[in-house]
Amino acid sequence: MKKVICLTTTLFLFVLSAMAVWAQAFPSLEAAPAAYEYAQQIGGNNVRWLDLAEVSLWASAVNAGQGAEAKAASYLDRIKAAAEELSASALPQNPKERGEAVLTFLHKKFLKSYSEFQTRVDEIFISGRYNCVSSSVLYMVFCISVGLEVEGVMTKDHAFVSVKAGSETIDVETTNPYGFDPGNRKDFHDAFGKTTGFAYVPAKNYRDRALINAAEMVSLILSNRIAVLERGNRFSEAVPLAINRAVLLSNTGGAGAVPAAQVQNVSAQNNTGNKTDFFEDPQKDLMSRLTNLGAFFIKNGKEDDAIAWAEYAGKRYPDSQRWQEMIKTAANNKLVKLIRAKKTSDARSALTVLKGKLSNENYSELDIIVLEAEAADKVNNIRNPGDSDAALAFLAQNWDRLPSNSREEMRSVAILAEADRYGKAKNWLGGMRYLADAMEKYGKNARMENAMKIMRQNRVGELHNEFAALFNKRNYTEAKTFIQKALQEFPEEKQLLQDLVLVEKALQQ
């Protein structure tokens, strides 16, 4: 479903071991045997009330855990006893009046307090708490037990029931004791919104509602339980429920079994909206639950689990695009974590292991991420002679594969790192020569030109200081010879020209 009835659902749109080992840790991908049996029992149009009751208890998880069979039998006995009591009462012959009597009976005997998340039928017998789904299913059970024809009705966030009475179809809002034919009940309108927080959709608003059969109504129990589990980050437990739900709906004539075009007019009496607007294909819903578990692994930093899950579940439920996207996302996160931890070589090794699990396109994309990190490592670790040449050679070798927005930057960084190494040795002249060669080979940019300017200033300052030391010792002849030689390096340098004028004046005195 796109929205789970009576619940607000939030979907989260990843060192591998042998698959047999992972299969023990992951949820089973096999449906419960009962799911196939129940799909046959309630998948058609003529559903027996006792079958519907039994299936609704199964969907509510009464059959799980210690003493499950005894519990299921006890709840089923309570339903049987209540059905006998209802049949033995003086029920009206008129179907409309009988439907209202069933609703009154249900609220007096079982339904005590509305609870938005209480979707399980068995809990009604324990605490009296119910929501729209659990109360609708139980109402359908008792209506069928007294010979009434009913259908489920759903909206984007709510569910209720309709009762057929001759040529008339009457809505029944099961969450409210005044909910029979609610469009004509003032007392219903006064209480419904305060009770549930959901809006009843009148029958005339056909586009906002759709009919669903008994199996689909029961499946909403599973959908709501799935939503509650996922809200609690219990994604692994949600998977078997989604598998059972898909099997349960495999024998229906609803949205999960036939093309959308065939479910737009579910009832000749009540031309409803398209069921697929509200009721998602159970197979698509199942794939969402499967991928949600993988996304949960990724969110919690368990990338290897996500990759193993994609391989394990993908064999049973193929969807190359979804599973490949999960593997790629998990692999990307794994590589990024290694790279950020400065373990680039480990990232390369991990990618090599993952290559067979990735499509060629995805592998190439991740390979570039690792390659860029490898290049950055070489560029950022220039310390010794030859390091810069090795980094520039690596960049040149992989130039066409590296992103254009980073390769120019890394080349500049490598060149400037080597220039900085010259600077730390105060070899300004050697640095200038290196930068000049680099700019001639690779082209100029502002950063290299600025580095050259600084190198020049430092070199000029160095020459001036050596001249000043000679001049201050009154070694004027030697100072003049030095400054004339310095001007051969920088003929137009103002500071050096001033030094020459100064020393010539000193010699004339």
Side-chain angles (χ1 to χ4, degrees):
M1 292 177 61
K2 294 177 181 176
K3 272 198 176 181
V4 176
I5 299 301
C6 283
L7 293 173
T8 302
T9 309
T10 302
L11 300 183
F12 292 96
L13 279 149
F14 249 138
V15 175
L16 299 177
S17 300
M19 293 311 303
V21 175
W22 284 114
Q24 296 172 10
F26 292 142
S28 172
L29 298 178
E30 298 295 332
Y36 296 98
E37 178 184 347
Y38 291 143
Q40 295 296 320
Q41 288 182 7
I42 67 168
N45 294 323
N46 298 316
V47 178
R48 298 184 302 176
W49 68 271
L50 197 56
D51 289 339
L52 180 57
E54 184 178 353
V55 177
S56 69
L57 291 172
W58 168 79
S60 300
V62 177
N63 60 336
Q66 187 175 5
E69 291 185 7
K71 288 181 180 179
S74 67
Y75 294 134
L76 197 58
D77 285 343
R78 291 190 64 177
I79 293 175
K80 290 178 182 178
E84 292 175 1
E85 179 184 345
L86 183 62
S87 297
S89 63
L91 288 173
Q93 292 298 313
N94 181 283
K96 184 174 181 178
E97 294 176 357
R98 183 177 298 192
E100 185 169 12
V102 173
L103 182 65
T104 301
F105 172 83
L106 195 62
H107 275 273
K108 284 184 177 180
K109 193 167 185 68
F110 297 117
L111 304 182
K112 304 304 179 185
S113 62
Y114 176 84
S115 177
E116 180 180 349
F117 301 106
Q118 203 311 87
T119 196
R120 291 170 53 163
V121 171
D122 61 306
E123 182 63 28
I124 293 175
F125 303 113
I126 298 171
S127 65
R129 294 184 298 114
Y130 61 91
N131 73 354
C132 62
V133 172
S134 53
S135 60
S136 291
V137 171
L138 197 57
Y139 179 75
M140 292 177 75
V141 168
F142 287 119
C143 280
I144 297 172
S145 75
V146 295
L148 291 172
E149 187 178 352
V150 292
E151 290 180 296
V153 184
M154 64 179 297
T155 71
K156 64 180 181 179
D157 54 9
H158 192 46
F160 48 98
V161 180
S162 67
V163 175
K164 290 188 177 181
S167 61
E168 187 179 6
T169 300
I170 303 101
D171 287 340
V172 183
E173 177 44 70
T174 59
T175 60
N176 194 292
Y178 307 110
F180 195 86
D181 198 8
N184 297 315
R185 296 284 294 270
K186 183 178 183 303
D187 43 9
F188 164 79
H189 290 290
D190 289 342
F192 176 64
K194 297 177 183 178
T195 302
T196 69
F198 294 99
Y200 164 70
V201 179
K204 62 183 179 181
N205 295 337
Y206 294 135
R207 291 183 180 179
D208 298 326
R209 51 188 278 158
L211 295 179
I212 56 176
N213 59 36
E216 290 165 337
M217 180 64 85
V218 171
S219 80
L220 299 184
I221 297 174
L222 293 167
S223 294
N224 283 2
R225 288 180 58 206
I226 289 168
V228 170
L229 288 171
E230 290 194 339
R231 285 163 64 97
N233 292 328
R234 296 162 64 184
F235 295 92
S236 183
E237 297 175 57
V239 167
L241 299 188
I243 294 173
N244 286 338
R245 177 177 179 267
V247 171
L248 182 66
L249 294 172
S250 62
N251 197 42
T252 71
V258 295
Q262 297 182 31
V263 299
Q264 293 183 13
N265 298 322
V266 181
S267 170
Q269 172 65 30
N270 197 357
N271 182 18
T272 68
N274 189 343
K275 191 186 305 185
T276 56
D277 289 342
F278 311 130
F279 200 94
E280 187 175 5
D281 183 324
Q283 293 299 327
K284 292 181 180 179
D285 182 64
L286 169 57
M287 289 304 301
S288 295
R289 307 285 74 74
L290 295 173
T291 51
N292 275 3
L293 176 55
F296 178 71
F297 287 140
I298 292 175
K299 182 181 178 182
N300 287 275
K302 297 181 179 180
E303 293 86 8
D304 290 332
D305 285 359
I307 293 168
W309 171 245
E311 291 190 300
Y312 172 56
K315 289 183 177 180
R316 180 64 183 271
Y317 296 99
D319 188 326
S320 58
Q321 182 175 355
R322 284 202 192 203
W323 295 124
Q324 184 59 209
E325 184 62 28
M326 181 181 294
I327 292 173
K328 175 193 171 184
T329 302
N332 176 80
N333 289 7
K334 181 181 178 72
L335 297 175
V336 168
K337 285 200 295 188
L338 290 169
I339 290 169
R340 288 177 177 173
K342 302 188 183 303
K343 297 179 179 179
T344 306
S345 61
D346 290 347
R348 172 58 67 187
S349 298
L351 182 58
T352 300
V353 172
L354 291 166
K355 184 174 183 179
K357 307 175 192 302
L358 293 160
S359 68
N360 291 336
E361 181 181 359
N362 288 339
Y363 174 80
S364 296
E365 186 175 332
L366 297 177
D367 178 56
I368 290 172
I369 293 174
V370 177
L371 180 65
E372 191 173 8
E374 291 170 330
D377 279 352
K378 292 184 179 297
V379 166
N380 293 329
N381 289 288
I382 295 173
R383 303 286 187 273
N384 303 306
D387 288 351
S388 178
D389 290 340
L392 290 170
F394 185 87
L395 290 172
Q397 180 182 357
N398 298 286
W399 191 256
D400 292 337
R401 297 170 59 206
L402 288 166
S404 58
N405 62 341
S406 65
R407 62 191 182 189
E408 294 281 359
E409 172 68 14
M410 286 193 287
R411 186 164 64 184
S412 293
V413 170
I415 293 169
L416 293 172
E418 180 67 4
D420 185 60
R421 196 177 67 81
Y422 278 99
K424 288 178 179 178
K426 298 189 182 303
N427 184 0
W428 314 117
L429 185 59
M432 290 174 62
R433 289 171 179 166
Y434 175 79
L435 283 171
D437 290 343
M439 285 190 284
E440 182 179 355
K441 183 175 182 179
Y442 300 116
K444 299 179 181 180
N445 62 38
R447 293 178 66 186
M448 285 191 283
E449 288 180 332
N450 185 59
M452 176 66 89
K453 180 180 178 181
I454 294 171
M455 286 280 187
R456 179 188 176 95
Q457 290 173 346
N458 288 340
R459 175 59 177 163
V460 169
E462 181 180 59
L463 293 171
H464 170 73
N465 289 341
E466 290 186 39
F467 163 80
L470 293 170
F471 184 88
N472 291 336
K473 292 179 181 179
R474 299 181 182 275
N475 295 334
Y476 299 134
T477 300
E478 188 177 349
K480 181 179 180 181
T481 301
F482 177 85
I483 204 65
Q484 286 175 332
K485 184 177 180 180
L487 280 167
Q488 292 177 8
E489 286 186 42
F490 305 106
E492 306 296 329
E493 182 57 46
K494 184 177 180 181
Q495 177 65 62
L496 300 182
L497 289 171
Q498 290 175 348
D499 290 343
L500 179 60
V501 171
L502 180 63
V503 73
E504 286 179 339
K505 286 182 178 180
L507 286 169
Q508 292 174 3
Q509 294 179 354

